[in-house]
Amino acid sequence: MHHFHYVEKKLHCEGVALETLARKFGTPLYVYSQRTLAEHFQKLDRAMAPVDHLVCFAVKSNSNLAVLRTLADEGSGFDIVSGGELARVIAAGGDARKCVFAGVGKTTSEIEFALRRGVYSFNVESEAELQRINAVAGRLKKIAPVALRVNPNVDAHTHAKITTGTYENKFGIAFEQVEAIYARAAKLKNLRLRGVQMHIGSQLTSVAPFEQAVRKVLPLVQRLQAKYALEFFSIGGGLGIVYDPALASGAANWWQTKAAKNILTPQKYATRLLPLLRPLGLKILMEPGRFISGNAGVLVTRVEYVKRTGKKNFLIVDAAMNDLIRPAFYDAHHEILPLTQKSGAIISSDVVGPICESGDYFCKDRPLPKLGEGDHLALLSAGAYGFVMASNYNTRPLAAEVLVNGRKAAGVRRRQTVKEILADEKIAPWAK
Ligand code: LLP
């Protein structure tokens, strides 16, 4: 569910017409719904209420300070993967003691920073990393809380680029090696073994792979718990969202349709996993990113040109793959809606950006209303892995971001300028 709806033919985010925002802030423009963010967090938090738990929002999915603040105010913890993300959480007013630090390549300075700030746990992805954390902690005279990331070797049946829990992936420690590494870690003086972590992939649309992974890892967790007095078990993120029919199906009762009945909800997730997790008596951590932020954001863009070739109708818009790379990178589907609802002719169209690559498209052969220069479109479900994956490719400035709360809207990131892009570069001193 989300709060992007047509009101009198105008697409709104909560109580604000997106066209008003496009005029005021320009395009391309990311717009986030605060209410959607908070409600998604609350849904998962409530579903997991029967166990001691902490929802740690995956900062990588959307790291805008205003988004992080919204979640911190809801009581969220954070899953971070760099010193930069920890700095963001702190700048947003979040609590470092509710942060879990993941990632296969933590540097010494990142480990130092996280130790000084007192993160809840380092989710460790190799024995070499364990040694390094122990050494850094020793130098700082601190005890580092750690959890090993178990790779359960379970196929998540998701896109190859976002599968993480099989031995084909670089992530985690092979299931069979985990116990021996805990035993060696227990001998390292500056570590405290605090938990166990796993994450099998992203955009999972059924609960079965989660259940399979939890069932597989559970006996191991119990053995480790008995030996090392662990405190938590993190079951990772990965809850998928609906990218497809939602609003565009036009069905006001979309949530009662057959497609909707099959989707993965926090209730289904909790109903299947809680009976397995509850007997452990451990604190359960989750690291959802997309589930919370995905449908809470849209990318608004403007049609610059309409171009008809022999075969195709191209809508050339002012957003591009540098703003939202998911269609180019993962063949991802993003629903596309005009900001002003149109009736009449439907034309099969490709929505493409101005970048000089054929991969720079948002959709191909999509039935869309007849649109012309100056019309605005919204790319839905762009709140996760949207702005955070943006780049300056083709020297295109990063888009602006806006947060909406009811009838209020605030710019939460100013549009970058070309001057800012050039500011850090210089000509080599020996140039003629
Ligand atoms: N925890 C760990 C250890 C992760 O690696 C990830 C995502 C998450 C949590 C959050 O996953 P989520 O709940 O958002 O599915 N850029 C890709 C997704 C990459 C996901 C990377 N890891 C996309 O646009 O689909």
Side-chain angles (χ1 to χ4, degrees):
M1 272 307 243
H2 55 71
H3 295 286
F4 293 90
H5 295 289
Y6 284 109
V7 181
E8 288 165 4
K9 294 194 185 299
K10 299 285 180 192
L11 190 61
H12 280 60
C13 172
E14 303 190 20
V16 180
L18 289 172
E19 259 170 13
T20 314
L21 298 178
R23 270 196 299 275
K24 179 163 178 204
F25 295 95
T27 52
L29 180 71
Y30 275 95
V31 180
Y32 308 122
S33 153
Q34 181 159 359
R35 194 167 152 205
T36 310
L37 288 166
E39 284 181 4
H40 285 163
F41 174 86
Q42 289 158 7
K43 269 188 195 151
L44 190 56
D45 197 40
R46 271 202 300 269
M48 297 300 284
V51 291
D52 181 18
H53 70 279
L54 180 64
V55 176
C56 295
F57 174 64
V59 173
K60 66 170 83 68
S61 73
N62 188 321
S63 59
N64 183 285
L65 295 187
V67 169
L68 299 184
R69 176 52 164 266
T70 298
L71 293 163
D73 286 346
E74 292 295 325
S76 185
F78 296 96
D79 165 39
I80 54 167
V81 291
S82 68
E85 286 191 351
L86 177 56
R88 279 184 176 275
V89 170
I90 295 167
D95 187 350
R97 288 165 308 174
K98 284 187 176 178
C99 284
V100 287
F101 190 175
V104 295
K106 302 174 190 78
T107 65
T108 298
S109 65
E110 287 178 319
I111 295 167
E112 265 181 34
F113 178 43
L115 270 173
R116 288 190 202 279
R117 291 306 179 134
V119 296
Y120 180 67
S121 179
F122 290 88
N123 292 341
V124 176
E125 306 233 12
S126 65
E127 199 161 1
E129 183 192 331
L130 212 49
Q131 298 283 356
R132 181 161 335 168
I133 294 174
N134 182 60
V136 176
R139 198 153 34 76
L140 299 188
K141 301 200 173 17
K142 289 194 181 283
I143 300 295
V146 296
L148 294 195
R149 175 169 177 179
V150 182
N151 182 335
N153 199 21
V154 165
D155 189 352
H157 301 292
T158 182
H159 191 283
K161 285 204 174 103
I162 50 176
T163 291
T164 54
T166 76
Y167 291 170
E168 292 292 312
N169 311 120
K170 66 182 174 184
F171 300 102
I173 294 170
F175 187 76
E176 296 76 14
Q177 296 169 7
V178 169
E179 269 178 290
I181 299 183
Y182 267 94
R184 291 198 284 276
K187 298 202 180 96
L188 298 176
K189 288 203 174 54
N190 310 311
L191 300 182
R192 166 178 174 199
L193 305 184
R194 194 165 219 172
V196 185
Q197 194 263 357
M198 69 173 192
H199 171 79
I200 55 173
S202 199
Q203 183 54 14
L204 273 63
T205 49
S206 92
V207 75
F210 288 113
E211 187 179 344
Q212 200 189 339
V214 168
R215 280 190 192 278
K216 181 163 178 187
V217 173
L218 216 52
L220 170 69
V221 176
Q222 279 164 327
R223 288 197 298 277
L224 294 170
Q225 185 185 4
K227 275 194 193 143
Y228 306 113
L230 303 182
E231 195 175 287
F232 78 89
F233 176 29
S234 171
I235 55 174
L239 280 109
I241 60 166
V242 176
Y243 279 96
D244 231 333
L247 266 173
S249 74
N253 62 343
W254 186 81
W255 291 96
Q256 273 110 52
T257 62
K258 205 169 152 213
K261 295 221 166 72
N262 289 331
I263 67 167
L264 178 55
T265 61
Q267 289 77 10
K268 281 187 203 162
Y269 178 82
T271 308
R272 293 276 281 279
L273 299 184
L274 284 179
L276 303 174
L277 298 171
R278 206 174 182 172
L280 280 176
L282 288 174
K283 188 183 182 89
I284 301 300
L285 265 55
M286 282 144 291
E287 304 159 3
R290 189 188 324 257
F291 174 76
I292 291 174
S293 58
N295 281 328
V298 300
L299 173 60
V300 177
T301 184
R302 179 178 180 277
V303 177
E304 288 290 342
Y305 297 100
V306 179
K307 175 171 168 176
R308 270 177 252 281
T309 62
K311 268 186 154 169
K312 292 229 176 204
N313 186 52
F314 289 102
L315 300 173
I316 302 169
V317 296
D318 67 356
M321 65 190 283
N322 76 298
D323 300 299
L324 177 67
I325 202 173
R326 302 194 71 261
F329 204 38
Y330 312 110
D331 299 314
H333 177 102
H334 284 264
E335 216 46 61
I336 300 181
L337 297 177
L339 296 198
T340 302
Q341 217 166 11
K342 311 239 172 190
S343 45
I346 295 287
I347 304 174
S348 173
S349 304
D350 285 19
V351 177
V352 302
I355 284 184
C356 304
E357 292 218 26
S358 2
D360 183 27
Y361 63 86
F362 293 122
C363 69
K364 288 190 185 242
D365 302 319
R366 183 89 58 93
L368 287 172
K370 189 169 190 296
L371 293 160
E373 216 173 293
D375 284 336
H376 286 102
L377 296 171
L379 294 143
L380 301 197
S381 314
Y385 308 109
F387 183 89
V388 285
M389 294 180 80
S391 76
N392 287 130
Y393 190 35
N394 280 205
T395 308
R396 289 170 48 83
L398 297 175
E401 294 173 286
V402 167
L403 183 71
V404 171
N405 177 3
R407 291 179 184 283
K408 292 185 294 220
V412 292
R413 184 184 169 107
R414 191 173 49 76
R415 184 176 306 285
Q416 196 183 30
T417 62
V418 171
K419 200 171 164 197
E420 283 163 343
I421 299 179
L422 301 188
D424 294 328
E425 295 176 35
K426 51 182 175 192
I427 310 291
W430 55 82
K432 285 206 198 100

